[in-house]
Amino acid sequence: MQPALKIVFVPPPGGPAPVSGIPRTEGGALRKGYWQTHHAFEIGHGLRKDEHKVVFSTPFTKAPNVIVSLNGLDSSHAHNLRIRVYTKNVTNLGFTAVYETWHDTKIYEVNASWIAIGN
């Protein structure tokens, strides 16, 4: 007989102290708009990058694992679509989300979600 499934709720930052051995999580949404800003994502060519710095509401004890994913995009239909989103400089205090496009792609807005898992 298999044991019953146990579901554990991890409270949000600022809530009750976490139970020992259960990771802490924090997440959020990011949005960067470029429409009519003359930003390189809207009008440029070649490799272009933009960054979005995120600060955790409460520091982790050490750098957590951070997952970032694209969840919305507005782009020109006249050009091929090329986009990457990834993290860099992950510390216990926060991280930087990086948006990257290249060639002749025109990006007007990027939306991403993220989750950090650690202690």
Side-chain angles (χ1 to χ4, degrees), residues 26-30 54-56 60 66-69 95 112-116:
E26 183 174 338
L30 307 173
V54 175
V55 177
F56 300 131
F60 284 82
V66 179
I67 301 166
V68 64
S69 64
F95 68 95
S113 297
W114 63 270
I115 187 167

Side-chain angles (χ1 to χ4, degrees), residues 31-75:
R31 178 186 175 274
K32 284 279 221 164
Y34 306 104
W35 175 249
Q36 296 183 336
T37 62
H38 301 289
H39 188 279
F41 268 36
E42 179 187 18
I43 63 173
H45 283 61
L47 180 63
R48 290 154 285 147
K49 295 181 182 183
D50 196 15
E51 297 182 351
H52 195 137
K53 294 188 184 209
V54 175
V55 177
F56 300 131
S57 62
T58 305
F60 284 82
T61 56
K62 63 180 183 176
N65 292 311
V66 179
I67 301 166
V68 64
S69 64
L70 189 66
N71 71 8
L73 186 64
D74 184 12
S75 65

Side-chain angles (χ1 to χ4, degrees), residues 97-108:
V98 181
Y99 310 108
E100 184 177 275
T101 190
W102 57 98
H103 197 52
D104 62 351
T105 298
K106 308 291 186 212
I107 302 291
Y108 304 127

Side-chain angles (χ1 to χ4, degrees), residues 82-96:
R82 302 168 186 91
I83 186 80
R84 285 189 192 110
V85 59
Y86 56 92
T87 63
K88 73 175 193 177
N89 302 331
V90 178
T91 72
N92 68 314
L93 302 174
F95 68 95
T96 301

